[in-house]
């Protein structure tokens, strides 16, 4: 796997935001009986839904050749799985429905992630090809991974949690805030891959267009 070690402005900005999140607890912001956390969670759900819709509309997977088509449809499914997990598979918005319904939703969505890898040889080849040839943005990947790990550390009160959680009262808020750079980082990495695919597609069209070749 190739690594891109360039530090871009969006990556730097995301890193700065990630670094200052723990200090929001020092501001003694009003939590409004959990209302602030719910607003953030709703914003996260909208962002994940946007990620799925943007990926589908921007890359247009059904117009792409075999391999790329399956890969980008799989990417859309990943956004939907993250959306489902973010909303407890819908339980957050429909708490009165049977728990079995949400369990079924989780099973279906997770199966839609796993089964294509097992069934589709085109998808497996495309995943291997991208692992070998795509350049991963090192710093963006590091910040995104750190944001996820810190969010998990705060949520489960792991050993290093006090480093990032300066006030236990703000535990839920800090956890949700750390999920924001994680989600934004995922989108930025995904967009980089999509932009490269679109650029390669445009170059191929120009090269094969007899009018442009003259």
């Amino acid at each position: 796997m190739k690594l891109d070690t360039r530090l871009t402005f969006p990556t730097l900005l995301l890193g700065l935001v990630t670094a200052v999140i723990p200090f929001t607890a020092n501001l003694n912001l009003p939590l409004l009986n959990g209302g602030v956390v719910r607003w953030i969670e709703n914003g996260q759900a909208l962002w994940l839904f946007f990620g799925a819709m943007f990926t589908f509309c921007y890359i247009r997977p059904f117009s792409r050749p075999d391999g790329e088509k399956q890969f980008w449809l799989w990417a859309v499914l990943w956004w939907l799985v993250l959306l489902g997990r973010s909303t407890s598979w819908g339980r957050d918005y429909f708490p009165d429905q049977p728990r079995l319904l949400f369990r079924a939703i989780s099973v279906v969505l997770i199966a839609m992630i796993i089964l294509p890898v097992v069934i589709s040889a085109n998808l497996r080849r495309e995943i291997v090809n991208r692992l070998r040839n795509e350049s991963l943005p090192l710093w963006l990947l590091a910040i995104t991974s750190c944001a996820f790990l810190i969010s998990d550390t705060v949520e489960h009160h792991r050993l290093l949690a006090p480093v990032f959680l300066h006030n236990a009262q703000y535990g839920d808020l800090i956890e949700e805030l750390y999920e924001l750079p994680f989600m934004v980082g995922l989108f930025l990495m995904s967009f980089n891959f999509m932009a490269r695919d679109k650029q390669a597609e445009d170059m191929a069209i120009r090269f094969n267009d007899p009018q442009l070749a003259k």
Side-chain angles (χ1 to χ4, degrees), residues 131-214:
L131 287 173
R132 288 176 177 171
N133 299 312
E134 285 280 8
S135 294
L136 277 176
L138 175 61
W139 296 111
L140 182 57
L141 177 62
I143 291 169
T144 304
S145 301
C146 285
F148 172 77
L149 292 173
I150 294 171
S151 175
D152 181 75
T153 296
V154 172
E155 179 183 8
H156 296 99
H157 307 286
R158 303 192 193 281
L159 181 62
L160 295 178
V163 176
F164 309 101
L165 181 58
H166 300 169
N167 186 335
Q169 181 183 358
Y170 289 86
D172 290 341
L173 177 64
I174 297 299
E175 175 201 340
E176 298 300 332
L177 287 177
Y178 265 112
E179 289 183 358
L180 295 177
F182 166 67
M183 294 177 184
V184 172
L186 283 181
F187 178 81
L188 291 175
M189 285 191 287
S190 177
F191 180 74
N192 285 339
F193 297 148
M194 287 189 285
R196 283 201 289 266
D197 277 11
K198 293 283 284 187
Q199 184 179 25
E201 179 185 39
D202 291 343
M203 290 179 63
I205 291 174
R206 291 175 184 175
F207 182 79
N208 292 320
D209 191 331
Q211 297 298 322
L212 295 176
K214 293 181 180 179

Side-chain angles (χ1 to χ4, degrees), residues 30-41:
L31 296 174
L32 304 179
N33 295 320
V36 174
V37 171
R38 285 194 295 272
W39 294 341
I40 295 174
E41 289 174 337

Side-chain angles (χ1 to χ4, degrees), residues 40-55:
I40 295 174
E41 289 174 337
N42 290 337
Q44 290 172 351
L46 288 173
W47 178 257
L48 293 170
F49 181 74
F50 166 77
M53 293 299 99
F54 181 88
T55 300

